[in-house]
Amino acid sequence: MDKKLTCSRRSFIKGTAATTIALGTAGSLFSINQSSFKTALAQEIQENKIFQNACPRNCYDTCSILSTVKDGILTKVDGNPDNTYTRGRLCVKGYSYTRSVYSPDRIKYPMKQKGRGSGNWERISWDEAYSEIAETILRIKKEYGSTLPICLNKYSGNFSIMQYGIEGMLASIGDHSIATGTPCWPAGIDAQTFDFGTIYNNDPEDIVNSKYLILWGVNPAWCAVHSMYFIQEAKRRGCKVVAIDPILTQTASKADVFLQIKPSTDGALALGMAKYIFDNQLYDAQWLARNARGYEEFFGYIKNNITLEWAADKTGLPKETIETLAREYATTKPANIWIGYGMQRHTNGGQNVRAIDALAAITGNIGKSGGGAQYAHLETWGFNYHAMVQEKPQDNRAHGNRAINMNNFGAEVLAADNPPIKMLWIACRNPVSQDPETSVIKKAFAAMDLVVTAELFMNPTVEMSDIVLPVTTTFENPGVNVSYWHYWMTLNQQAVKPLYEAKNDITIAMELSKKLNEMQPGSCTFPTAGDLYEWAGKEFNANIYSQFGINDWKELEKGPVKAKRGLIAWQDGRFRTPSGKYELWSEEAQKFGHHPLPVYVEEVKPSGKYPIRCLTPHWKLNIHSQFQNLDWMDNIDNTPRLEIHPKLAAQYGIAHNDNVKVYNEIGYFILPARITETVPVETVAAYTAWYKNRNYNVNYTVKAIPADMGKKATGMPGIAFHDNFVNIEKI
Amino acid sequence: MAKRLGFLVDIERCFGCHTCELACKNEYQLDPDIRWRKVYQIREDAYAMPERIFMSLTCNHCDQPECLRVCPVVAYTKRNDGIVLHNQDRCIGCGMCIMACPYKVPQYNQKQKRVEKCHMCAHKQDQGQKPACVTGCPAEALSVIDLETFTVLGTTEKLPGYPDPKITKPTTRFIQPSIGVQIRRDR
C-alpha cells in the first residue's frame, strides 16, 4: 500500500516536472506551463479528500492537521492555517506521519509470544486474543476474589479524549490496580497549585506582548516549536529574551542572554533575585496587598536567610549578573517567565518552581497580558470523560482501585501484596523504555501471569509482553484534542480506514466486554457496541460549548476553534487557593510536608564514586519513545550520543566518537561521544529516545528517586530524573 | 522579464529543527534515504561563542550550475526564472552531477538508478504558491527571493562550511545570526 502511494504521487510530480522541461527547452515557458499545471492540480484536488486531524502526542503544541487522502490512502499532511498558534505548520515529527501510518514495522495483527523477550511471536486472531485475556481476567477474579491483581498502566502516548476507553474498560470489570501519578511534570503542578490553586498559563500567542521574557529550563525550539515564532516576534517588538539552563539548549542559543546555571539551583537564583528586588524596593506593594497572602513572611525569610553572595555561590552565576537580571526583570513591564518541565525534575524541583512563581507575584506580573509565570493549563479539558466513567459490575467486591505509583512502577508492582499483581495491561505507554530503573521494570514484567500491550510498534515493552494488540493511528479513528499549553480544540476525523487488523482502544474495550459477558454474563459493564463518532460527541457539555463559542461539536468539522475567554491567566484575581489569594505562605503546602514558604531546599550533589551528573532531556526528533524509530528520522540522525564538555572528555581521555560507558550502581549504557561546549564541564547529557534496532536506553542508570512534590495534584510525587549521577569510562 | 529566484535563509531565525526537510519529504513522499533539503549544523567554534547554529540547504539554483554543465544527456535545464530543473526521464544515473555539485545537492536514488533533486516547487510557484519547505518552516526562516529585485543589503552569500560561491554562483542568500551574551562557568 505504501509503495503504491509513493509511486502514484511521485510519478505525478515527476510527470509534470518533465512537461515543464520539455516546454522549457522550446522557449516560452510560463503561460503554457501554468495551464498544464492548473489542469493537473485541479484534477488532483478533485480526487483528494481533506480531513481534519489533530496531533495527539504528549507535546505542548497539539497541532491542527489537514490530511490529504487519495483513494483511501493518506498521501500527505499539512498544518491547518485556521489554528493561529500552529499557524499552518507542523514540526519535524508531524510531517513524518505518513511514515508511521504506513510503516512496515507496524504491528499488523494480534500476536502471542512464547517466552517473554524471546521474539518467538505467532499470529493469533482477535477472538483468540480476547478469549485468552478474558479467561485470565475471570480466572484471576475467581482465584483472588477481586480484579485487584489486574493492573493498568496507561498514560501519555495519546491525549485524544477517546483513548480513555481503556480506563473505562478496566473500570467495567471492577476495581483494579492502576498506575497512578504522572512522570513528567507533577512537582511543578503541585508548586503552582500551592501558589495559585492550579496550573493556568496565559495564551502562548500572548507572548508577543512581553517586554522581558525569561525562558527558565524550557527548550521550545525542540519541544514546542510553534512557540518559537511568538518568542521571535516578541523579540522583534523589543522584548529581551533570557534563557536560564544548565545546557546551552537550542532555545538558549537563540536568546539574547544565556545564563549557565548549576543544575537544580534555580530556586537559589530566584530567591537571590527576590532579595535584590526587596532590598531595592522594586516589588509591587499594591499588587501584593490586594492579591497575595504571606508576603510579609516571605520578605522576612529572604531578608534573614538570603544573600546575593550565597545565591551566586549556589548557582555559579556572578553576583552582578543576578543583580542585573533582577533589576531588569522587576523594572521592565510586562515581564514573563516560562517555567519548563526539565527544571522541576529534581528533589527540590517543586520548591524551585514556587520560588520562581514568587518572583512573578512580588513584581505584580500575574494576571497580565505579556506577564505571568507560565507552566501549563488544563482549562480547556472540561470534557465529560464519558468513555472513562463506567459502572462497576454487580459482583465487584473490592472497595476502590488500588493506586500503584507510576513513578516507581517496577518496584511497586513487585511489592504489591494481598492480592499480588498478576496481570498488566499497557496502553499508550512504553515503560520498559521510558521508566526509570529499566532492570526493575523488566523483573516486574517477568513476575506476571499475563502482560497485554496495545501498541503500534514492536518497542521494548512489547518485546516483554505476552500478547500484543495492534492499535490504530490517530488518522484511523475519530477523537477530539486540546492542548495543555495553547487554547485551541481540534476535531480528529477518521481520515483512513484502520490498517491491517488494527483497532482503536474503545473498539477493543467493546469487543473484550462482549467476550467477557459471553463467558460470564454481567462480568463487564462496558458497552459492547456503539458508533465512535457519537462517542466523541458524548464528551461535550454546555460549559465546553460556551467556553469555545460553539453550539454543537459538529461545528468543529469546519475547523479548529479557540477558547473565547480566560486567555490571560488570573486576570480576574480570583485564585483557586484556600484563601482565594496568591499564597506565598501556603498551609496546603505545609499539609503535604513542605515549608509553607518557597524556601530553598538543598540540591543533591554528586558523590565520590559517581561524580558526574547525567541529564537525560528530550531530543528534537522524537517525543519520548516515538518518531525516532521511523525511517525518515533515522535518515536524519541514527546515532544517539553522549554530549560531553572538552575539559571533562580530556580528563577521561575521551575523543569525539569514542565509545563511552555511562554507569552507576544500577546499570549502564554505551554510546559514542560528542564533544561539545553546550554542556557544562561537570555534566553530561544523553537524550531519552527509542531507536529502532539499537540497544540504547538511558533509563538503565536513572533511579526512581521521587521529586519533592506532586502528591497533592497527581496522587504521587514526580521523578527526579535529572538527579542522576554516573561515572564514565572510555571503552 | 527574467527572474533570478533563490532561497533566503535567515540563520538568525532558524533553530535547526529539520521541519523544512520533512515538510519537503512529506510533500513529495520521498524515499527514506533521499534528502532534497538538508539541515547542516555549523561548527560550534565558528562564531565568537559556542552556539547551535544551522544552515538549511537545498539546491542553490545556481547562476552557473555545474550539474547542468557536466550532464552528458542534458537532463538539467534552467528556467527563465532561474529554477534549475532535473528531468529524470533523461537521466542515466551516471552521477556526473553529483560529483560536480559543490553542495552535494543531486541525490542518487538507488531504486530508480537515477538522480533527483529540489525543483523549488516550480509547479507551486507557477500557481502563486510557496515551496513546501517555506510554508512548513515554523520559524519562518525560509523565503524565496528574486535576486533581480531583492535588496541584498544585510545578507551574505557565505557561511562557515558553505562551499565557495565563486564556483557555481549560487542564488541562496543568508541572514547572519546574532550571537547572544553567554554567562558561562567554563571560560
Side-chain angles (χ1 to χ4, degrees):
Chain A
M1 218 175 232
D2 187 19
K3 234 175 187 170
K4 193 177 141 203
L5 138 82
T6 311
C7 284
S8 67
R9 274 203 61 81
R10 296 192 66 209
S11 53
F12 160 70
I13 244 349
K14 279 169 191 157
T16 48
T19 317
T20 315
I21 292 154
L23 294 164
T25 45
S28 70
L29 291 167
F30 273 104
S31 54
I32 309 168
N33 278 351
Q34 274 203 7
S35 64
S36 72
F37 273 122
K38 263 180 192 159
T39 321
L41 282 171
Q43 197 185 348
E44 189 182 60
I45 288 160
Q46 252 181 10
E47 290 169 4
N48 288 340
K49 279 188 185 160
I50 308 290
F51 291 90
Q52 306 272 343
N53 284 100
C55 184
R57 306 275 91 82
N58 186 351
C59 160
Y60 286 90
D61 287 5
T62 316
C63 292
S64 300
I65 299 173
L66 291 174
S67 305
T68 303
V69 174
K70 190 179 177 186
D71 302 329
I73 293 167
L74 179 72
T75 57
K76 67 165 180 166
V77 288
D78 285 296
N80 187 336
D82 291 350
N83 180 326
T84 55
Y85 172 74
T86 54
R87 306 174 60 259
R89 291 153 169 90
L90 303 178
C91 75
V92 63
K93 294 159 283 206
Y95 282 119
S96 77
Y97 264 127
T98 52
R99 299 313 287 178
S100 57
V101 173
Y102 299 109
S103 169
D105 298 335
R106 262 187 78 172
I107 292 166
K108 301 176 178 65
Y109 29 74
M111 292 192 293
K112 190 177 167 180
Q113 185 173 219
K114 281 186 185 150
R116 279 173 212 137
S118 70
N120 191 8
W121 289 94
E122 65 172 49
R123 180 178 179 173
I124 56 173
S125 68
W126 273 101
D127 192 63
E128 285 169 306
Y130 290 138
S131 297
E132 177 153 353
I133 296 165
E135 273 166 19
T136 308
I137 290 172
L138 295 174
R139 176 182 60 75
I140 286 173
K141 189 173 167 181
K142 199 173 163 194
E143 199 172 320
Y144 294 93
S146 80
T147 44
L148 282 176
I150 300 163
C151 182
L152 173 66
N153 189 341
K154 181 233 154 177
Y155 190 49
S156 74
N158 192 315
F159 263 88
S160 162
I161 56 167
M162 292 287 276
Q163 258 61 36
Y164 291 100
I166 281 303
E167 282 91 334
M169 203 275 297
L170 268 287
S172 307
I173 61 167
D175 290 324
H176 52 278
S177 300
I178 183 161
T180 304
T182 149
C184 40
W185 57 341
I189 296 180
D190 265 16
Q192 291 221 320
T193 303
F194 296 136
D195 293 336
F196 298 92
T198 189
I199 47 170
Y200 185 4
N201 63 271
N202 284 11
D203 176 4
E205 296 169 47
D206 174 69
I207 288 173
V208 298
N209 297 316
S210 302
K211 291 294 169 229
Y212 201 82
L213 174 62
I214 301 180
L215 300 168
W216 206 316
V218 69
N219 187 12
W222 283 9
C223 306
V225 294
H226 299 86
S227 279
M228 286 301 279
Y229 171 81
F230 299 99
I231 292 168
Q232 306 242 35
E233 181 59 18
K235 228 171 148 179
R236 197 186 62 80
R237 297 185 193 183
C239 175
K240 185 166 180 175
V241 179
V242 179
I244 299 170
D245 211 293
I247 296 180
L248 178 78
T249 62
Q250 185 60 59
T251 304
S253 194
K254 290 286 155 192
D256 295 307
V257 180
F258 162 59
L259 305 181
Q260 191 189 52
I261 191 169
K262 285 185 193 166
S264 195
T265 67
D266 307 271
L269 176 58
L271 293 169
M273 288 167 72
K275 169 77 170 170
Y276 181 88
I277 290 165
F278 175 71
D279 286 350
N280 293 280
Q281 296 178 358
L282 298 174
Y283 52 89
D284 187 337
Q286 212 181 2
W287 191 91
L288 287 170
R290 194 174 303 151
N291 297 290
R293 182 170 182 266
Y295 58 93
E296 291 97 341
E297 290 88 341
F298 177 66
F299 285 144
Y301 166 75
I302 56 170
K303 197 174 149 190
N304 297 325
N305 296 279
I306 304 296
T307 66
L308 280 143
E309 289 74 18
W310 168 84
D313 181 53
K314 274 278 163 204
T315 59
L317 298 170
K319 186 182 160 210
E320 300 69 38
T321 300
I322 301 175
E323 288 172 343
T324 306
L325 178 68
R327 189 175 56 249
E328 287 181 356
Y329 172 72
T331 56
T332 316
K333 301 285 164 98
N336 195 348
I337 304 177
W338 182 354
I339 303 165
Y341 305 142
M343 60 139 292
Q344 49 91 58
R345 290 174 190 150
H346 291 287
T347 53
N348 62 353
Q351 287 292 1
N352 288 344
V353 172
R354 284 203 72 198
I356 296 169
D357 288 348
L359 285 175
I362 63 172
T363 54
N365 270 306
I366 290 164
K368 288 172 187 163
S369 169
Q374 325 295 345
Y375 187 69
H377 80 85
L378 295 171
E379 294 295 295
T380 51
W381 291 68
F383 296 98
N384 293 340
Y385 299 95
H386 161 81
M388 193 176 184
V389 186
Q390 302 294 333
E391 282 185 16
K392 303 284 175 200
Q394 283 187 342
D395 62 348
N396 183 47
R397 278 188 236 139
H399 304 284
N401 288 343
R402 170 169 60 179
I404 299 295
N405 185 356
M406 181 181 279
N407 297 337
N408 192 10
F409 186 69
E412 289 222 358
V413 164
L414 287 167
D417 197 13
N418 195 25
I421 290 173
K422 302 307 285 179
M423 173 180 162
L424 293 179
W425 186 297
I426 318 274
C428 305
R429 220 161 177 247
N430 181 4
V432 176
S433 165
Q434 297 307 115
D435 277 12
E437 302 192 8
T438 313
S439 317
V440 183
I441 294 280
K442 284 186 171 176
K443 267 185 213 159
F445 273 57
M448 294 299 110
D449 287 356
L450 181 67
V451 180
V452 179
T453 299
E455 246 305 331
L456 284 168
F457 295 107
M458 186 59 72
N459 64 30
T461 296
V462 178
E463 285 170 14
M464 295 302 293
S465 307
D466 299 300
I467 289 179
V468 61
L469 305 176
V471 291
T472 47
T473 64
T474 194
F475 301 93
E476 297 157 56
N477 53 242
V480 181
N481 295 73
V482 288
S483 156
Y484 49 75
W485 180 237
H486 64 66
Y487 283 84
W488 286 85
M489 174 161 57
T490 309
L491 182 68
N492 184 64
Q493 296 178 310
Q494 183 178 341
V496 294
K497 284 185 189 152
L499 267 84
Y500 319 110
E501 289 188 13
K503 295 179 193 285
N504 70 68
D505 291 338
I506 287 183
T507 305
I508 293 171
M510 286 173 173
E511 293 177 355
L512 181 59
S513 179
K514 199 173 162 201
K515 179 61 76 182
L516 279 161
N517 281 301
E518 273 168 25
M519 288 184 179
Q520 193 188 100
S523 60
C524 183
T525 62
F526 202 87
T528 53
D531 181 274
L532 290 182
Y533 229 56
E534 279 172 25
W535 273 58
K538 286 180 189 178
E539 298 293 345
F540 289 84
N541 53 49
N543 280 342
I544 290 255
Y545 284 151
S546 124
Q547 183 182 22
F548 283 91
I550 53 173
N551 297 308
D552 189 283
W553 65 276
K554 286 187 176 150
E555 288 174 38
L556 293 167
E557 287 168 6
K558 283 181 269 172
V561 292
K562 186 177 177 180
K564 297 284 178 280
R565 54 172 195 255
L567 301 178
I568 303 299
W570 312 115
Q571 203 168 26
D572 59 5
R574 279 149 58 188
F575 296 94
R576 297 178 208 162
T577 53
S579 65
K581 301 216 170 205
Y582 180 94
E583 295 195 355
L584 280 150
W585 177 277
S586 165
E587 273 136 32
E588 203 56 25
Q590 208 167 16
K591 270 189 220 162
F592 281 85
H594 314 296
H595 196 288
L597 291 170
V599 299
Y600 191 68
V601 169
E602 283 297 307
E603 74 280 9
V604 183
K605 292 174 193 76
S607 71
K609 249 177 136 180
Y610 304 107
I612 302 162
R613 189 185 287 266
C614 179
L615 296 175
T616 55
H618 293 303
W619 167 235
K620 64 177 162 181
L621 301 180
N622 73 344
I623 170 124
H624 301 134
S625 59
Q626 300 179 88
F627 294 108
Q628 180 61 69
N629 61 310
L630 302 176
D631 52 10
W632 283 5
M633 298 305 182
D634 195 66
N635 178 246
I636 298 174
D637 187 298
N638 61 10
T639 313
R641 284 173 187 280
L642 183 75
E643 297 191 340
I644 178 167
H645 193 279
K647 284 181 186 165
L648 187 66
Q651 261 180 51
Y652 284 82
I654 293 166
H656 183 68
N657 262 343
D658 279 351
N659 274 325
V660 181
K661 181 175 174 180
V662 180
Y663 66 96
N664 61 17
E665 63 270 48
I666 68 161
Y668 70 93
F669 56 91
I670 295 167
L671 74 179
R674 174 190 285 135
I675 312 291
T676 171
E677 288 182 272
T678 55
V679 288
V681 177
E682 70 294 340
T683 301
V684 293
Y687 299 104
T688 168
W690 170 52
Y691 285 78
K692 188 188 163 188
N693 298 334
R694 250 181 207 278
N695 182 22
Y696 167 71
N697 182 350
V698 293
N699 286 309
Y700 276 109
T701 65
V702 178
K703 290 177 224 161
I705 302 167
D708 55 345
M709 292 185 191
K711 195 159 175 50
K712 177 180 165 61
T714 71
M716 297 288 171
I719 305 171
F721 278 108
H722 296 325
D723 289 331
N724 179 31
F725 296 96
V726 298
N727 208 337
I728 56 174
E729 177 185 308
K730 180 182 161 176
I731 57 164
Chain B
M1 189 185 139
K3 293 180 179 180
R4 274 171 74 213
L5 298 183
F7 283 106
L8 176 66
V9 187
D10 188 339
I11 306 296
E12 168 62 8
R13 293 188 73 94
C14 173
F15 46 86
C17 67
H18 294 270
T19 303
C20 51
E21 213 182 308
L22 280 210
C24 169
K25 230 155 161 163
N26 164 66
E27 184 70 29
Y28 301 109
Q29 294 295 310
L30 300 181
D31 286 350
D33 55 348
I34 298 289
R35 298 168 87 173
W36 285 4
R37 184 172 273 285
K38 196 169 174 183
V39 177
Y40 295 86
Q41 182 157 14
I42 295 175
R43 286 179 61 100
E44 209 173 283
D45 57 7
Y47 291 90
M49 295 300 272
E51 292 273 8
R52 298 177 193 250
I53 298 175
F54 297 82
M55 50 185 166
S56 168
L57 296 180
T58 180
C59 177
N60 295 291
H61 300 279
C62 302
D63 285 343
Q64 291 172 13
E66 273 293 288
C67 53
L68 184 146
R69 193 180 66 82
V70 301
C71 178
V73 294
V74 202
Y76 285 92
T77 46
K78 191 166 172 66
R79 301 206 321 184
N80 272 359
D81 59 3
I83 296 177
V84 175
L85 292 173
H86 172 260
N87 181 350
Q88 224 182 14
D89 291 342
R90 296 191 71 111
C91 180
I92 53 168
C94 68
M96 291 289 281
C97 55
I98 296 173
M99 284 188 278
C101 175
Y103 305 93
K104 296 192 169 70
V105 164
Q107 300 268 299
Y108 186 72
N109 188 315
Q110 294 286 353
K111 272 191 235 155
Q112 300 186 15
K113 311 279 181 221
R114 290 171 193 195
V115 162
E116 57 183 82
K117 76 161 192 76
C118 157
H119 44 56
M120 222 189 207
C121 293
H123 62 294
K124 278 177 174 272
Q125 296 213 52
D126 290 348
Q127 294 286 312
Q129 295 168 12
K130 291 173 185 169
C133 55
V134 172
T135 53
C137 173
E140 296 198 358
L142 295 174
S143 48
V144 173
I145 51 170
D146 177 2
L147 290 170
E148 291 298 331
T149 53
F150 181 75
T151 315
V152 292
L153 202 71
T155 67
T156 174
E157 48 186 66
K158 282 184 188 174
L159 280 179
Y162 187 72
D164 189 347
K166 279 189 198 128
I167 311 165
T168 60
K169 300 202 171 8
T171 57
T172 307
R173 296 293 180 271
F174 304 100
I175 294 174
Q176 289 276 16
S178 61
I179 305 303
V181 174
Q182 295 189 13
I183 308 295
R184 308 172 59 97
R185 290 181 283 114
D186 59 349
R187 22 172 107 187

